[in-house]
Amino acid sequence: SGRPTRFIGPPIEREENVKSDIFHAYMALLRQTRPSVGVNLDPDCMDQEEGPVCMLQTQVPAIVKAVHNQMKEKSIKTRQDCFTLLKELVIVLPGALTNHIPALIAGIQYSLGHLSEMIQMKIDTLAFVHCLLTSHPPEVFHSHMSVLVPPVITAVGDGFYKITAEALLVLQQLVKVIRPLDTPSNFDFTPFTGELYHCTLIRLKAADIDQEVKERAISCMGQIICNLGDYLQGELHTCLPIFLDRLRNEITRLTTVKALTKVAGSPLRIDLRPILGEAVPILGSFLRKNQRALKLSTLTLLDTLVRNYSSALNTELLNKVIIELAPLLCEADLHIAQLTLTLLTSIAQLHPAALSRVSDAILPEILVLVKSPLLQGAALNSMLEFFQALVKAGLPGLGYRDLLAMLVIPVTQGAGSGGSMPVLHKQAFHSLAKCVAALTVTWQQEALNVVEQFLRDVQNPRTDAHHIFALLIIGEIGRHIDLSSITSLKQVILNSFSPPSEEVKSAASYTLGSVAVGNLPQYLPFVLQEIEAQPKRQYLLLHSLKEIITCQSSTPGGVQLLQPFVPAIWQQLFRHCECGEEGTRNVVAECLGKLTLIDPASLLPRLQESLVSDSALMRTTVVTAVKFTISDQPQAIDPLLRQSIGEFLRTLQDPDLNVRRVALVAFNSAAHNKPSLVRDLLDSVLPQLYSETEVRKELIREVEMGPFKHTVDDGLDIRKAAFECMYTLLDSCLDRLNIFEFLNHVENGLKDHYDIKMLTYLMVARLAQLCPTAVLQRLERLVEPLRNTCTMKVKANSVKQEYEKQDELKRSAMRAVAALLTIPDADKNPHLSEFVSQIKTTPELQLIFDSIQKDSTGPSQDSKLNGFKLSEVGKRGACSLDTL
């Protein structure tokens, strides 16, 4: 990449078209910088000082100086280019113009102030101002408000709807700038309040205006009332009824709901009582509409109203909403279910009387939802909060014991008399147990009695289902309440490590770890001691330890409690790094990785020291542990990882096959979650990566299975890991790849094993989108292996699975062909066009190709690509989930 500083300088060139070309060339450079910026969103910018972002930062003053004079040119085209370039700059580098605002104001004023100015010029200027306001801190604009506000207000009153729509967008942002509610500000905004309100009100009242202007006027007025409403008290009686009117209009209702959500959530506590009586029933009716976005926004608004305006609401009014909630509590849309539960929680806390009939329709739906295998994350947390609020509400027939019985019945009734599991999904046991724990934590006086009751079920289980459920409940309660006073608890849980059922053992392991969280000093030393004393139970006990570390490391308070035990845990884990069982080593590695995140400065070097161990198993465990220290979120360990990741990745040259495989998996994790860690190492890593994509004859052996001979390829797993890394690099480090060298290895993969072929077909499709020109030059070499796959016949005596695999291979190859056809001029390539002709003359292939085309084609080339990307993402997830 050449240095673009030659583009920046005094306006020597006077020819308008040449100037425009220079602007567009620099804008193209800016757009190319975007992917690199996306990679380094974490606070520790890991690009080298010579990286494009740092170069760009140093050039900002020169860019502003060069553009400053051009912004007052008579040429509209030149000024449009100025604004477009500056807009690209702040998109790539938000906040870049913080110290240069005064230099830009005159140019903005010049382009907005001229009455004879071209329409598109005004629109472009307003679009830039909006981009500027959203990407810089409010205080940098405060001294320029008297210059910025008047032309924007004039533009809101413009006769052309596109200018008005753009101006309203800018005005809405200006309101947030003159009085930011999330940061303290001493700026005197009062001189602008009346003008901003009245120019927006004119647009809000108008009934015969463009749809976009209507919506933006509603949004803008919502922002004005939200940020300045305490200075507009006398005007509320005028504008709030207009909101009510817009709420009744099918076209404007969604925008109005969003605007009212802003107003209702304002810390200024705007008085909405005049419209609540009519608005709430209208909002309740929206929950019946077949419009998902409207339901989501309405539920958010209703929850905000219940929380902030509870004194203005009554049971009768809320019943208009509650009657509509039961159908929304289903697994078909968990986001809507989550918001519905959040609303019910707010009502239970602030208007419990309104839920007196919750048992009629709502609670039965909730008890169905809690058994869903899909319930997890935010939706499950909302359900736990609802049960806690409901038990605190003290409603008749909904006390602690009543709700507890409702939650236990699905398991006790679902299990048969034998030892088989009930119809309930595994996730349902966890969800029900968490709900029981949520109730019990709220009603702590019952906790020990309930645990004793379930402990009896553990000791004398009627079925495996009862056994598992009782264990999970004890574990979930034990997370929040210290159960160390129950002396028999440890032994009873340990006894559950012995039954033949793997599900029971797993539940017991989880329970021991969860109970330990409730009292670390009592239980953690016991777990460590048992790991040492019980070799046969080691794997399960290590899972208990993993549960403790995972739970404690998720909060600063938990980390503090765990800190004193870290040396003892570390020592115990290191004793098992060389365990012969891969499953055990993986658990040890995960525990080591998570512990390292707690104290990276002292523990990461200790992992690094172990890389020189003579034991291949030790090296495997240590490299796997590093994988667990890498996440897509910024972490304290990142600067240290930056320094040491190269050392860990040297294991790509390890003599042991398995060490190299886990090193590739760790590299893939870094490239996927935090590419900045590995971008600068690619020159040394890529040759190692590419060498692992090759088939090695010395790793292929024949195994005799009775009268048959079976070929085993010990190098297949490491090749898969290498190709998965290549796929990841396409998304995260494309600008650092020699694409022709990359294509060489993709071509080899197209002739490899089934699993590798599936991966390389995805790569071909991705490359067709990202590097069409390079792919076009290699079409001949890419098409031939695709043709071989599509025309391959399965042996007549093959089993059904072979036919299915071959069919899936053909489909994936056809998707790659469909992607190649989207490249401009690809259809002129004789090899590809001949293959397409062959497909069309073969009924079986034509059928597959037509179905793929139907899935991926649309009215334009872009939609064709988008359709393909969707199918590709699904495939990719299936292929690389294990590795990532």
Side-chain angles (χ1 to χ4, degrees), residues 449-731:
N449 290 335
V450 167
V451 171
E452 294 276 12
Q453 174 192 325
F454 285 108
L455 211 51
R456 287 192 287 276
D457 283 350
V458 171
Q459 288 169 300
N460 303 294
R462 282 178 286 161
T463 64
D464 282 351
H466 283 102
H467 198 164
I468 291 165
F469 189 49
L471 281 167
L472 292 176
I473 288 173
I474 292 166
E476 294 297 345
I477 293 172
R479 269 178 191 270
H480 307 284
I481 298 170
D482 179 7
L483 300 180
S484 57
S485 59
I486 304 174
T487 51
S488 63
L489 185 59
K490 290 177 188 170
Q491 197 52 50
V492 172
I493 295 173
L494 278 183
N495 291 344
S496 295
F497 280 39
S498 304
S501 166
E502 289 301 322
E503 285 89 353
V504 172
K505 288 179 186 175
S506 176
S509 167
Y510 175 84
T511 298
L512 181 59
S514 298
V515 166
V517 169
N519 187 336
L520 282 183
Q522 177 76 6
Y523 286 97
L524 187 48
F526 169 73
V527 172
L528 294 175
Q529 177 191 320
E530 288 294 310
I531 290 171
E532 190 64 29
Q534 304 279 351
K536 289 183 180 176
R537 295 174 173 176
Q538 202 173 80
Y539 178 72
L540 292 168
L541 288 161
L542 282 167
H543 267 285
S544 301
L545 182 60
K546 186 184 89 172
E547 193 59 42
I548 296 168
I549 295 168
T550 304
C551 185
Q552 293 299 110
S553 59
S554 62
T555 62
V559 169
Q560 204 171 352
L561 288 171
L562 189 62
Q563 201 87 46
F565 301 99
V566 169
I569 299 171
W570 189 269
Q571 191 179 355
Q572 183 61 265
L573 288 169
F574 253 77
R575 286 183 192 146
H576 304 286
C577 281
E578 297 175 56
C579 175
E581 290 287 327
E582 188 179 2
T584 302
R585 286 201 313 276
N586 285 340
V587 182
V588 168
E590 190 172 347
C591 291
L592 286 170
K594 288 181 176 177
L595 277 183
T596 304
L597 290 172
I598 290 173
D599 186 7
S602 61
L603 297 181
L604 189 62
R606 290 175 70 177
L607 283 180
Q608 206 168 335
E609 288 164 14
S610 303
L611 288 173
V612 296
S613 167
D614 292 335
S615 164
L617 294 178
M618 171 65 85
R619 299 196 300 276
T620 303
T621 306
V622 167
V623 175
T624 305
V626 170
K627 183 189 83 169
F628 288 105
T629 65
I630 302 165
S631 79
D632 57 355
Q633 298 299 313
Q635 306 239 47
I637 198 173
D638 290 348
L640 296 168
L641 266 180
R642 165 72 171 166
Q643 295 163 17
S644 60
I645 192 81
E647 195 69 36
F648 288 104
L649 291 180
R650 281 206 187 96
T651 52
L652 287 168
Q653 303 170 43
D654 198 279
D656 186 85
L657 184 72
N658 209 33
V659 176
R660 297 203 304 276
R661 183 183 62 79
V662 297
L664 284 171
V665 173
F667 173 73
N668 196 6
S669 177
H672 179 74
N673 293 305
K674 204 159 276 169
S676 49
L677 286 173
V678 296
R679 285 170 66 79
D680 295 335
L681 300 172
L682 288 181
D683 287 346
S684 59
V685 169
L686 282 175
Q688 304 299 324
L689 171 63
Y690 290 148
S691 74
E692 296 299 351
T693 64
E694 295 165 12
V695 178
R696 297 192 178 168
K697 289 180 180 175
E698 67 271 21
L699 296 176
I700 298 173
R701 55 195 168 90
E702 276 195 346
V703 179
E704 288 190 6
M705 300 175 73
F708 304 104
K709 285 187 177 178
H710 179 61
T711 304
V712 175
D713 184 351
D714 292 326
L716 178 60
D717 283 345
I718 196 167
R719 291 205 307 283
K720 277 170 65 177
F723 278 105
E724 283 172 347
C725 289
M726 287 174 64
Y727 190 100
T728 302
L729 290 173
L730 281 181
D731 279 334

Side-chain angles (χ1 to χ4, degrees), residues 197 201 204-205 233-243:
Y197 170 78
L201 184 66
L204 184 68
K205 281 180 172 178
Q233 297 287 357
E235 301 291 341
L236 293 181
H237 70 279
T238 304
C239 73
L240 288 182
I242 301 173
F243 275 127

Side-chain angles (χ1 to χ4, degrees), residues 114-133:
H114 278 246
L115 293 173
S116 59
E117 202 62 83
M118 231 179 89
I119 288 169
Q120 193 56 47
M121 183 71 245
K122 282 192 176 179
I123 293 170
D124 288 349
T125 310
L126 288 164
F128 167 66
V129 173
H130 182 259
C131 195
L132 195 66
L133 292 171

Side-chain angles (χ1 to χ4, degrees), residues 855-870:
D855 291 340
S856 61
T857 53
S860 69
Q861 197 107 358
D862 286 345
S863 60
K864 192 183 281 189
L865 283 173
N866 290 337
F868 185 81
K869 281 173 79 176
L870 286 172

